[in-house]
Amino acid sequence: MEPAGLLGDLAIFTRVVMARSVSAAALQLGAAKSSVSSRIAALERLVGARLLIRSRHGVQPTPAGERLAAAGRNLIADAEALLTEIRAGEDQITGTLRVTCAVGVADILLVPMLASFLRQHPALSVDVVATDLILDPRREGIDVSFRFGWLRRPEQGFVARRIGTYEGALVASPAYLATAGGEPTTPAALAQHTWIGSPAFGGMRQPLTLWDASGRRHKTVMTCRIRTTAPTQQREWVLSGLGITRLPRFFIADDLAKGALVRVLSDHRFEGPSLFAVYAREHAHSARVRALLTHIQRIGAEEKMARAAESLEATR
């Protein structure tokens, strides 16, 4: 339970607004529902205005409640950052950082980053929610959401920071190509094949833009037989010989090396997926979030330098 006092009541109120439920907020806080309700009522008496509208679908903030919740989040973030610096010094990050990421692909990239971050900050804890669902960060109390794919724009009130972009590949199993009459040789021929898609590209009919070796752009539309949110499932479906799909190359490098998968239209390229860190604007003030983003940026810069060195060495 949050401590008593105005800041504690604000923290409880913002938790209720994020959860859209008094019961859910009480569960997250480890407090009785009646206690949370009484703290909210006390805050409404202090403010002199109604802050929440209750219905059978949960609770919604009033306009006054929305303003107070936004101000409360900023005050709490500033207070947490200040307390962290006072208690542990600027070089010591404490508390719990709650993050979410997709199962499978993002794990390969994210876990090493978090591991090195935790080694640098031994007083910090990380709570990871691994899911292929897109969670509401405020409702679930998420500090940073790591999203892998093709994010066009973040939700209102959120910031999306691109961590890195990765080469993608169109792939199929040799067994599928044998039964489908061979590898397609043009983007137009590709559209006649069975497609394993992702909701990141729309519904069951998904646009695909390719550039050939001369730089010419080709647009085609693929019709999904299978559509899944999980890249791990895309890999399993394509290994099972059920169609063609696009996946980050690092994710299927072993399958390509073993010949379990082969590249399709390998002389064409398309926009590869990226890993993004998405966080609410008010969390930009959090010392934990700032430290994590700085750490990831440093790793990204080191990786770019390493790739540049490898490219330079290859040309000698």
Side-chain angles (χ1 to χ4, degrees):
M1 187 70 174
E2 296 290 341
L6 178 57
L7 194 60
D9 288 347
L10 279 174
I12 292 171
F13 175 66
T14 56
R15 184 68 66 97
V16 171
V17 171
M18 288 190 294
R20 305 293 183 185
S21 166
V22 174
S23 299
L27 185 63
Q28 293 173 11
L29 292 165
K33 179 182 175 182
S34 58
S35 177
V36 172
S37 295
S38 65
R39 297 280 288 271
I40 297 298
L43 188 61
E44 288 181 324
R45 288 194 299 271
L46 178 65
V47 173
R50 192 176 184 184
L51 301 176
L52 294 173
I53 300 173
R54 294 166 175 83
S55 73
R56 60 182 179 179
H57 302 296
V59 295
Q60 298 287 336
T62 64
E66 197 73 69
R67 293 196 302 272
L68 185 63
R73 285 191 291 267
N74 289 333
L75 285 170
I76 292 163
D78 288 342
E80 286 182 347
L82 181 59
L83 285 173
T84 297
E85 292 178 0
I86 292 174
R87 288 173 178 168
E90 294 185 0
D91 295 330
Q92 179 111 8
I93 304 297
T94 63
T96 299
L97 187 68
R98 186 170 166 84
V99 305
T100 184
C101 65
V103 178
V105 174
D107 293 356
I108 298 173
L109 302 172
L110 182 60
V111 170
M113 293 180 185
L114 288 177
S116 57
F117 181 63
L118 286 170
R119 284 193 292 270
Q120 289 185 10
H121 303 286
L124 181 71
S125 299
V126 172
D127 182 12
V128 180
V129 181
T131 176
D132 291 317
L133 298 176
I134 301 299
L135 301 179
D136 181 337
R138 290 194 174 104
R139 184 184 181 92
E140 302 296 334
I142 301 295
D143 295 302
V144 183
S145 298
F146 290 94
R147 298 186 186 170
F148 190 86
W150 291 261
L151 182 66
R152 299 305 174 192
R153 61 180 64 87
E155 297 90 337
Q156 187 174 4
F158 286 82
V159 177
R161 181 176 295 185
R162 191 191 303 268
I163 295 172
T165 298
Y166 305 88
E167 181 185 356
L170 295 171
V171 293
S173 70
Y176 167 78
L177 294 176
T179 59
E183 179 184 342
T185 56
T186 67
L190 177 66
Q192 306 306 312
H193 282 259
T194 303
W195 184 247
I196 302 166
S198 165
F201 302 101
M204 298 302 283
R205 287 174 56 80
Q206 301 187 344
L208 176 64
T209 302
L210 299 169
W211 286 266
D212 62 25
S214 64
R216 287 180 300 178
R217 186 172 63 175
H218 303 267
K219 288 187 174 182
T220 188
V221 176
M222 305 300 298
T223 300
C224 298
R225 183 183 182 193
I226 303 166
R227 190 175 70 130
T228 175
T229 59
T232 49
Q233 290 185 16
Q234 282 181 264
R235 175 178 173 271
E236 291 302 323
W237 289 121
V238 74
L239 283 169
S240 297
L242 289 173
I244 298 174
T245 194
R246 55 179 154 188
L247 283 168
R249 188 171 178 181
F250 71 81
F251 188 55
I252 49 172
D254 289 344
D255 300 317
L256 291 170
K258 295 174 183 176
L261 294 178
V262 295
R263 295 192 66 174
V264 174
L265 291 176
S266 57
D267 57 341
H268 289 65
R269 62 178 179 85
F270 61 92
E271 180 189 0
S274 297
L275 183 64
F276 296 88
V278 180
Y279 54 95
R281 293 187 184 279
E282 61 267 19
H283 284 173
H285 301 290
S286 165
R288 292 187 291 270
V289 172
R290 289 201 311 268
L292 176 60
L293 296 176
T294 299
H295 178 76
I296 289 173
Q297 274 188 316
R298 184 166 58 248
I299 289 177
E302 290 172 354
E303 288 179 347
K304 286 180 182 178
M305 291 177 64
R307 286 196 295 270
E310 288 175 0
S311 299
L312 182 61
E313 186 66 25
T315 60
R316 290 178 178 174

